[in-house]
Structure formats: structure tokens, C-alpha cells
Amino acid sequence: MSDMTLVGLCGALRRESSNRKLMQEAARLFAPASFHEIDLRFPLFDADLQEAEGIPDMVRDAAARIKAADAVIVSTPEYNKGITGVLKNALDWISRVEGQPWRDKPVALLSASTGRAGGERAHSMARLCLNPFRPRLLAGPEVMLAQSRSQFDENGHLTDERAAGFLQELMDELKRDVLRMRG
């Protein structure tokens, strides 16, 4: 199992965001041979830009990494009761790349929020936004980390045993899904 490749998309741009920490903790628990976080600092989606200049190289690279990976983690904060514009913009751009990079790809969805619901609405919205691409979105366990700024130690590890247990279970399920896909 150690030869698996994992890609991560974090809907927050802040370097020390709870969602980035949660995604990195998930990657650590998954323990892939390689992990790559995709930088989502894409230009705003604009069909005129696409028509004039084509799909940006960084978007093509992101789509290629998703397609080549064994599995993907998507971690999103909740901004104003939904996913961030950064994540939605990335999904819109990646959807324009030929070859359906998300199709049948095992995907684990995570959310973290400073609120008490852990980004529940963003989690649900992210699922709705990913569904048209037909990935293999894991049903659960759902990992929605509440009061996220106080949930990590100085090494970036989850301090809440229950949350860490759910995250480990989700990463174990992601590995099992990859192995099922491999046959």
C-alpha cells in the first residue's frame, strides 16, 4: 500500500489554516508514497480568458495530478455557509480540462471551521459541487472538525482523540477504495 499517490486540495489559501492542517494530518495518516498539495491560486474562471489564452498550465497540471493520483483529499473551510470561492473556482477550471480527471477517483472530503458545526454546510456543498464529475466520494465517516483552531498540537497533529479516530477511519476507507479500484 505504500506505493499509493495522494493529492490534496485545500479550499483555504492561508498557510496556517485549519483545513490545511487537517489535510496534512489526513495525508500523514494515509501514509502514501507521495503526497502533493495542489496550489489553487488559479486566475478567476472566465470563458473569454479560456477562449483567448486556453486553459492555464497550472490548471492542466492540477488536472493531470488528480488523474494520475490513486486518491484525492479535498478539505474546505466554510465561508458564509458554503465552500470558498477559491475551491469553487478551482473545480470550475478543472472541469474544463479534457479527460475527466475526477471520474471514478476515490475522494475523501474534509471540512474544518472555527464554528461549532465544523463546516457542515460547506461539506455538503462541496459534495454537491463534486458530484457532477463522478468521483468515488466516500460516504463516511464524515470528518467535520469544529472549533478547529484549538484542535491541533504544535506538530500539526489532532489533539481530539475522537476526531483523530474518525480521520484515521476515513483514511483507512480511502486506502481500501484504492485497493478495490486496483482489483
Side-chain angles (χ1 to χ4, degrees):
M1 284 194 291
S2 63
D3 64 334
M4 292 183 192
T5 59
L6 184 65
V7 168
L9 283 74
C10 179
L13 296 178
R14 195 166 57 87
R15 186 177 324 126
E16 291 297 317
S17 81
S18 299
N19 279 277
R20 178 158 288 106
K21 289 178 182 179
L22 184 59
M23 178 187 65
Q24 290 169 342
E25 180 72 342
R28 184 184 71 79
L29 295 173
F30 186 87
S34 67
F35 172 71
H36 178 82
E37 179 184 349
I38 294 174
D39 183 355
L40 300 185
R41 288 178 175 86
F42 299 167
L44 288 175
F45 176 74
D46 178 347
D48 291 336
L49 175 66
Q50 180 184 354
E51 186 176 314
E53 300 177 22
I55 297 172
D57 289 342
M58 66 187 310
V59 173
R60 287 186 184 284
D61 179 63
R65 285 184 182 275
I66 291 167
K67 189 170 185 90
D70 289 302
V72 179
I73 297 171
V74 177
S75 186
T76 184
E78 184 170 291
Y79 288 3
N80 300 311
K81 309 296 183 193
I83 64 172
T84 63
V86 169
L87 181 58
K88 180 65 168 88
N89 185 59
L91 296 175
D92 289 343
W93 264 119
I94 293 167
S95 76
R96 306 300 279 211
V97 177
E98 295 289 326
Q100 300 179 324
W102 292 102
R103 182 70 184 262
D104 296 322
K105 186 67 57 184
V107 176
L109 184 57
L110 314 169
S111 61
S113 173
T114 57
R116 61 191 155 122
E120 184 175 16
R121 289 183 180 166
H123 195 99
S124 179
M125 184 179 175
R127 187 172 294 281
L128 289 173
C129 290
L130 284 162
N131 275 337
F133 310 138
R134 298 170 69 185
R136 295 173 57 89
L137 274 167
L138 299 183
E142 292 183 318
V143 176
M144 295 176 274
L145 188 64
Q147 300 169 343
S148 59
R149 288 194 185 138
S150 63
Q151 299 292 339
F152 297 92
D153 66 18
E154 62 279 352
N155 297 316
H157 301 307
L158 279 170
T159 56
D160 182 285
E161 289 181 27
R162 185 170 180 235
F166 284 139
L167 186 59
Q168 182 65 67
E169 188 178 346
L170 183 62
M171 291 302 97
D172 291 345
E173 184 60 35
L174 190 60
K175 284 180 191 177
R176 282 191 291 277
D177 207 45
V178 168
L179 292 174
R180 279 193 290 272
M181 294 288 295
R182 287 183 175 181

